[in-house]
Amino acid sequence: YGYFQPFLIGLIGLIPGCGTSVGIATLYMKDVITFGAAVTGLATASGEAFIVLYGQGISKKRIFKIAAILFIFSVIWGTLIQFAHITF
């Protein structure tokens, strides 16, 4: 398993829409990605939240900050899970 999976899958998780979450779960169920990577990707998956925030008039800069914080914490926890060899 790649050590960069949580980072890469976390980036994929930032893509809006529920299809991303379905894809991540499917990759995990087929043993393509680690549990830590799946946790990271699903934690960063915001569905349509960023689109809704933008529609509410929230600035792009603030939305980017929210996404960055979400991504950083998700990658940290996903990496810790991966290195602890936690699986389900």
Side-chain angles (χ1 to χ4, degrees):
Y1 294 115
Y3 294 109
F4 295 105
Q5 280 189 9
F7 180 82
L8 296 173
I9 300 299
L11 289 175
I12 292 170
L14 290 173
I15 299 170
C18 61
T20 305
S21 296
V22 172
I24 291 168
T26 301
L27 289 173
Y28 175 68
M29 295 303 294
K30 292 186 177 194
D31 289 325
V32 176
I33 60 173
T34 64
F35 181 66
V39 167
T40 301
L42 295 172
T44 59
S46 62
E48 309 298 329
F50 295 134
I51 296 169
V52 171
L53 289 173
Y54 184 72
Q56 294 288 324
I58 306 297
S59 70
K60 290 180 186 178
K61 184 177 180 180
R62 192 162 191 188
I63 294 170
F64 180 78
K65 285 181 184 179
I66 293 167
I69 292 168
L70 180 66
F71 177 76
I72 290 166
F73 280 104
S74 298
V75 169
I76 289 169
W77 280 105
T79 302
L80 290 173
I81 289 169
Q82 182 164 318
F83 282 119
H85 302 288
I86 298 172
T87 60
F88 287 95

